[in-house]
Amino acid sequence: MKISYQWLSQYFHFDLSPEEAAKYLTSSGLEVEGIELYQSIRGGLRGLVIGEVLTCEPHPDSDHLHLTTVNVGGDTPLNVVCGAPNVAAGQKVIVATIGTTLYNGDESFTIKKSKIRGAVSEGMICAEDEIGVGTSHDGIMVLEESAVPGTPAADYFKIEDDYIFEIGLTPNRSDAISHYGVARDLYAMLKTNNIPCSPLLLPNNFNMTPIAKTRKIDIVIDNRTACPRYTGLTLGNVKVKESPEWLKTRLRSIGVRPVNNVVDITQFVMFEIGQPMHAFDADKIKGDKVVIKNLPEGTPFVTLDGNEIKLSADDLMICNAEEPMCIAGVYGGLDSGITENTCNVFLESAYFNPVSVRKTSKRHNLKTDAAFRFERGCDPDITPYAIKRAAQLLTELADAMITSEIVDVYPTPIEHKKITISLDEINRLAGKELNKHTVSSILLALGMEVEACGEETFVVDVPLFRADVTRPVDLVEEILRIYGYNNIEIPTDMTYDLSSVGVAAPSRRLKNIISTYLADNGFFEVMNNSLTKAAYAEKFDFLNADETIKLLNPLSSDLNALRQSVMISGLENIAHNLKNKTTNLRLFEFGKHYIKNTEAKREDDVTTRFKEETKLSLFVTGKFHDDIWNDRATEMDFFYLKNIVFNILKKANYPIHTLTSTCEPASQFIDHIAYQCNGQTLVQMGQLHPRMLKEFDIKKPVFYAEIDLATLYCACGQSSICFTAIPVHPAVKRDLALVVDKNISYEMLEAIATKFGGKLLKSVSLFDVYEGDKIESGKKSYALNFVLQHAEKTLTDEEINKVMNKLIAAFEREVGAKLR
């Protein structure tokens, strides 16, 4: 939100620099994210001065140039060569002195001392378009006789520099969505910190007596829930024209394009006090009646920009006696606006239900400054003031005449909240002893009414512009943000409960162990939003569109559903990194995915309608590291990821021997394997299918693993640390090359070795796999390494051969293996 420093100073006087004012605003909770210099004329007319042409003679070598001497308030006049046809002695003019920069759109040039056809020129006499104060280029700009030579042009034209605060406004602070709202917080901060400033005031000297009651527009509210209050006023004899410079400057400073005086006044009032307004051409209000109501579903409506939309039955509309004119609080209709032919104006100032406005704005994707304010909650009490303020400006700037009384339809006034709180409660929550005077002065400065109900108790009447203050704790927050959180001392004593020190849930401890292991092995943890595109469920076979949980009021089409798979978020991470030239990636995420239970019997039972499951997702792509001159990096692959997964299971003390593997096809993978225990899938992993990667513009292999954490937590065992002395007797290694059927996996051979190897077999590993013309078709060869060791003696050949023969026999018996 943009706030003008000069505009703020219109409501009370303070002697602070923009930087100092920004510091106090940030301390109050209105964080100033940036300060930008704004100049109504680019360059601020720096270097331009008033000059008086003393002499003017024709240039001897030109038929259109003139040699002039100009008094600019210095010790000696300047020699200036001028080509304007209207230059003459005795004129008061604008002179750009040497070193002045002039701007023409995005281009600029600097005035230098030069020779023009042999004559020295020490400046430039300017036309109005050359300095940005007009559009004429017929000749130089001639000023009034009263202009004093040497006066800076910025002072003559009353050009002022402004500073624009970019404020990061939180959604709950609808009270600060205007210049006066920001000024109120700044005023409270200065008063609390004893910094001199004048009282905070709004213009309030309005004469609302109608000149002649010649036109009245009746107001009827059919939907009083969506429109609790509607205020209107009719004005005649309106002259639609260009706004005065001060008004255009105010609007331009905050990035608003001026249109005409009537529209600009409604915009000005909105940015001044936060109340959106609309000016109707009263002659186009059929039947001289405004009706606020809902229309049937599918009713066509043409908006101000010429687009036709189909209305929802929930959209609140501003209608005349025959047809809709505006979408209430959101957007005007094609014939609802002000044109250059408008003579009579009907002003609208209303309070619309924030939820109704937000739903309509989201439904039709119509984003306006008015909707931005209404959907956060405007002040119902300010609608009459806004009408009076706009009417005053219209009478001053558009020669308007008030032709009716103010019509204010407010069937059921909204009651103010009254909150009772004790000083002890304030001090307990604040952690600071505040006195009664400090508390009451802060609340009064914020526009609240304070009524003492005893020595140590307050009853606070909360104005309706503070929709976010509903509880005693909210009052404490208001007090503290103005008093200053930095003024709350950090306590010297600290207390803690010894019984809870070092205690963490087993799942959290395991999560920390896994995270540490992965980080130590080059993985980066990612934390993704659980919201994603509902369209993904339509694109990918492994997702079910019927199980997608969609948001009722999504932020955007990219964040309109809860994710059905953590895989999707990780692929978005990889795509983002690849676009930014980070190609070697190892990522992991502890995250949840969400599924709608289409078989749920009760719609009102959230526990059965929706399922959420916690997963650990792992992604690897690219090389282990960047290539260096003496080491060419290798690509990460499926087996690397599998090793990581099994190490995680070991870290969790998971009984790996209980797992069974399946290799059923899955559309998201080229090749994949899943591991189950007691019918529950614990792990699935593999290489993702290029068809899926193409949706994310990923053109390199990606390997993915997903661990179900609920299953892991249930089955993981308690870790126990056992001491075993380092063996003093040597281990023996033996190799076997076994030829088996192609469908025999290494896991099967490893299980056989573990089962029949006995206590002497310490480990078995695979170091080669061969398939080719050296063995029969339909077969493959595994080269296995076995490590044998006895804890108390050196093994003899006889003992070694006995174990190996037993293993060979077991391989042959169980899977038909033959030695190669």
Side-chain angles (χ1 to χ4, degrees):
M1 181 180 69
K2 294 184 183 296
I3 293 293
S4 161
Y5 171 80
Q6 293 291 351
W7 198 339
L8 282 181
S9 65
Q10 300 298 306
Y11 307 115
F12 73 111
H13 177 72
F14 53 90
D15 189 17
L16 294 177
S17 68
E19 291 75 16
E20 290 171 327
K23 181 185 72 172
Y24 282 109
L25 287 174
T26 298
S27 296
S28 75
L30 302 178
E31 183 181 0
V32 178
E33 299 174 340
I35 304 176
E36 180 182 336
L37 173 65
Y38 172 79
Q39 297 170 318
S40 56
I41 296 177
R42 189 178 178 190
L45 301 184
R46 282 193 294 270
L48 295 166
V49 296
I50 306 300
E52 181 181 7
V53 180
L54 301 178
T55 64
C56 179
E57 302 292 339
H59 194 296
D61 294 328
S62 173
D63 58 358
H64 69 281
L65 297 177
H66 298 83
L67 303 179
T68 68
T69 57
V70 185
N71 172 23
V72 293
D75 296 333
T76 59
L78 300 181
N79 296 306
V80 180
V81 178
C82 180
N86 65 327
V87 64
Q91 291 175 336
K92 301 294 177 62
V93 295
I94 300 294
V95 180
T97 57
I98 294 172
T100 300
T101 300
L102 297 179
Y103 299 90
N104 181 19
D106 294 332
E107 299 178 354
S108 64
F109 66 95
T110 302
I111 303 298
K112 299 177 182 178
K113 184 176 181 179
S114 59
K115 280 190 176 184
I116 301 176
R117 298 201 178 182
V120 174
S121 184
E122 299 173 303
M124 173 179 167
I125 303 175
C126 302
E128 63 180 43
D129 68 325
E130 292 171 330
I131 62 174
V133 298
T135 58
S136 174
H137 195 70
D138 295 336
I140 61 170
M141 187 176 189
V142 180
L143 309 178
E144 297 177 356
E145 274 295 319
S146 59
V148 179
T151 302
D155 294 344
Y156 181 83
F157 289 106
K158 295 182 173 57
I159 300 299
E160 63 179 12
D161 286 346
D162 197 358
Y163 293 87
I164 307 303
F165 300 137
E166 185 64 47
I167 294 180
L169 192 68
T170 53
N172 64 310
R173 292 300 309 277
S174 59
D175 63 297
I177 210 162
S178 65
H179 280 78
Y180 185 74
V182 173
R184 182 168 45 230
D185 269 18
L186 182 58
Y187 170 76
M189 287 292 294
L190 300 189
K191 291 287 287 184
T192 303
N193 288 277
N194 297 316
I195 296 172
C197 62
S198 65
L200 181 68
L201 297 173
L202 268 175
N204 203 24
N205 54 338
F206 306 134
N207 180 10
M208 299 304 297
T209 304
I211 294 177
K213 298 181 181 179
T214 57
R215 185 77 175 270
K216 181 187 176 185
I217 305 293
D218 293 324
I219 298 172
V220 178
I221 303 177
D222 284 354
N223 187 341
R224 296 182 178 183
T225 301
C227 179
R229 187 174 196 175
Y230 194 97
T231 308
L233 176 69
T234 308
L235 300 98
N237 193 44
V238 177
K239 302 295 189 295
V240 179
K241 55 188 176 181
E242 187 177 356
S243 296
E245 199 61 38
W246 71 265
L247 179 53
K248 291 192 291 184
T249 298
R250 286 282 178 260
L251 295 178
R252 285 176 182 145
S253 70
I254 58 172
V256 177
R257 180 180 63 85
V259 179
N260 58 53
N261 54 350
V262 178
V263 174
D264 293 350
I265 285 168
T266 61
Q267 292 279 72
F268 177 82
V269 172
M270 179 176 69
F271 289 108
E272 180 179 56
I273 61 174
Q275 174 61 39
M277 301 188 68
H278 190 77
F280 293 88
D281 188 328
D283 295 329
K284 295 181 180 179
I285 300 178
K286 298 177 180 179
D288 281 351
K289 180 185 288 188
V290 170
V291 183
I292 300 93
K293 63 181 181 180
N294 298 85
L295 295 176
E297 185 78 27
T299 300
F301 178 72
V302 181
T303 59
L304 193 61
D305 55 6
N307 293 323
E308 182 178 303
I309 62 174
K310 300 295 184 182
L311 297 176
S312 164
D314 295 327
D315 294 333
L316 185 68
M317 302 299 295
I318 310 297
C319 307
N320 56 38
E322 299 178 10
E323 60 191 6
M325 298 186 295
C326 280
I327 304 175
V330 180
Y331 219 75
L334 186 61
D335 293 325
S336 70
I338 300 298
T339 69
E340 58 184 11
N341 298 319
T342 298
C343 293
N344 300 299
V345 169
F346 174 74
L347 283 179
E348 167 197 279
S349 177
Y351 173 73
F352 299 116
N353 183 283
V355 175
S356 173
V357 173
R358 175 165 176 77
K359 287 185 175 181
T360 295
S361 175
K362 294 292 292 181
R363 186 180 298 119
H364 300 295
N365 195 28
L366 296 172
K367 306 295 182 184
T368 60
D369 287 324
F372 180 78
R373 284 157 177 79
F374 277 126
E375 67 189 22
R376 282 160 174 76
C378 292
D379 180 7
D381 286 344
I382 208 171
T383 61
Y385 175 87
I387 282 278
K388 294 175 183 179
R389 177 66 164 143
Q392 176 211 23
L393 291 171
L394 283 169
T395 57
E396 294 175 1
L397 306 181
D399 302 326
M401 295 187 299
I402 299 173
T403 58
S404 76
E405 299 284 355
I406 293 176
V407 180
D408 186 18
V409 182
Y410 197 11
T412 308
I414 301 172
E415 295 184 0
H416 288 210
K417 296 180 289 292
K418 290 186 181 292
I419 301 175
T420 302
I421 189 170
S422 68
L423 188 60
D424 287 342
E425 180 72 0
I426 292 171
N427 291 334
R428 183 185 69 82
L429 292 172
K432 172 83 175 182
E433 291 294 323
L434 302 177
N435 59 52
K436 189 174 181 179
H437 172 73
T438 299
V439 171
S440 60
S441 63
I442 289 174
L443 293 174
L444 287 170
L446 289 172
M448 303 184 189
E449 294 184 12
V450 180
E451 179 182 333
C453 291
E455 287 297 320
E456 303 295 330
T457 306
F458 301 94
V459 174
V460 181
D461 187 315
V462 181
L464 294 181
F465 62 76
R466 291 311 307 268
D468 60 320
V469 179
T470 59
R471 306 165 299 168
V473 70
D474 296 328
L475 283 178
V476 177
E477 181 183 358
E478 291 300 297
I479 294 165
L480 287 181
R481 72 181 181 83
I482 299 302
Y483 181 78
Y485 288 106
N486 291 336
N487 294 324
I488 308 295
E489 297 86 357
I490 298 175
T492 55
D493 297 330
M494 296 183 67
T495 60
Y496 57 92
D497 183 2
L498 285 173
S499 64
S500 64
V501 174
V503 177
S507 60
R508 187 183 304 169
R509 289 201 305 270
L510 181 56
K511 182 178 177 180
N512 290 337
I513 291 171
I514 294 172
S515 298
T516 301
Y517 166 73
L518 290 171
D520 289 345
N521 282 273
F523 280 76
F524 287 88
E525 183 172 8
V526 295
M527 297 181 183
N528 288 303
N529 195 337
S530 293
L531 299 178
T532 188
K533 299 178 185 178
Y536 283 139
E538 306 288 345
K539 292 180 180 179
F540 302 127
D541 296 342
F542 73 100
L543 301 178
N544 187 342
D546 294 335
E547 296 178 348
T548 302
I549 304 173
K550 296 182 179 179
L551 274 63
L552 294 176
N553 291 305
L555 297 173
S556 70
S557 59
D558 288 340
L559 299 170
N560 61 354
L562 291 169
R563 62 182 178 183
Q564 282 192 53
S565 172
V566 290
M567 180 195 301
I568 300 298
S569 302
L571 290 176
E572 290 177 337
N573 298 145
I574 291 175
H576 176 75
N577 278 274
L578 292 178
K579 288 177 182 177
N580 287 276
K581 309 304 180 184
T582 303
T583 57
N584 303 325
L585 296 168
R586 282 174 271 197
L587 307 176
F588 74 97
E589 179 187 10
F590 291 94
K592 293 181 179 180
H593 70 207
Y594 307 85
I595 299 172
K596 183 190 295 184
N597 185 3
T598 55
E599 298 179 358
K601 295 181 179 179
R602 290 180 53 189
E603 285 292 316
D604 60 339
D605 189 351
V606 176
T607 59
T608 59
R609 283 184 62 202
F610 306 111
K611 294 189 292 184
E612 63 178 64
E613 299 173 345
T614 306
K615 305 289 184 178
L616 168 60
S617 59
L618 302 164
F619 297 85
V620 297
T621 184
K623 299 180 179 180
F624 284 96
H625 56 78
D626 292 332
D627 290 331
I628 55 178
W629 69 274
N630 63 346
D631 184 11
R632 295 295 176 186
T634 56
E635 297 280 343
M636 291 181 283
D637 58 13
F638 169 80
F639 297 102
Y640 167 71
L641 182 60
K642 179 183 175 183
N643 182 60
I644 292 291
V645 168
F646 272 79
N647 284 340
I648 289 173
L649 299 182
K650 291 175 183 176
K651 290 281 183 183
N653 296 300
Y654 192 92
I656 296 175
H657 64 277
T658 63
L659 293 176
T660 57
S661 62
T662 62
C663 297
E664 296 180 3
S667 62
Q668 65 268 43
F669 294 102
I670 297 176
D671 295 308
H672 109 294
I673 189 169
Y675 290 93
Q676 297 181 335
C677 183
N678 298 324
Q680 297 288 324
T681 298
L682 173 66
V683 182
Q684 59 173 337
M685 55 183 161
Q687 181 179 349
L688 294 177
H689 203 288
R691 181 179 58 253
M692 183 171 183
L693 300 180
K694 185 179 179 181
E695 292 291 337
F696 299 90
D697 197 25
I698 299 173
K699 300 175 182 177
K700 58 190 305 182
V702 176
F703 300 92
Y704 173 72
E706 184 177 293
I707 300 176
D708 184 78
L709 291 178
T711 305
L712 180 65
Y713 293 154
C714 289
C716 65
Q718 294 293 324
S719 60
S720 58
I721 301 174
C722 301
F723 169 76
T724 302
I726 297 175
V728 296
H729 300 283
V732 177
K733 295 183 178 181
R734 291 288 186 269
D735 297 336
L736 289 179
L738 301 174
V739 177
V740 295
D741 293 337
K742 275 191 175 182
N743 64 334
I744 302 299
S745 65
Y746 164 70
E747 284 83 357
M748 298 173 65
L749 299 179
E750 184 182 34
I752 294 170
T754 303
K755 181 177 180 181
F756 296 101
K759 295 181 179 180
L760 296 183
L761 180 64
K762 300 301 180 185
S763 68
V764 57
S765 60
L766 175 69
F767 64 88
D768 187 38
V769 179
Y770 174 76
E771 294 182 62
D773 55 5
K774 301 292 178 65
I775 58 177
E776 322 177 24
S777 176
K779 302 283 187 179
K780 61 181 173 183
S781 171
Y782 289 108
L784 307 180
N785 175 261
F786 302 87
V787 177
L788 307 175
Q789 190 175 36
H790 198 291
E792 298 176 355
K793 67 175 183 177
T794 300
L795 291 173
T796 64
D797 289 341
E798 183 179 352
E799 291 171 321
I800 295 168
N801 292 336
K802 182 178 179 182
V803 173
M804 295 306 298
N805 289 334
K806 185 177 179 181
L807 287 172
I808 292 169
F811 288 134
E812 184 175 0
R813 182 176 62 255
E814 298 292 328
V815 294
K818 295 182 180 180
L819 292 179
R820 183 178 170 194

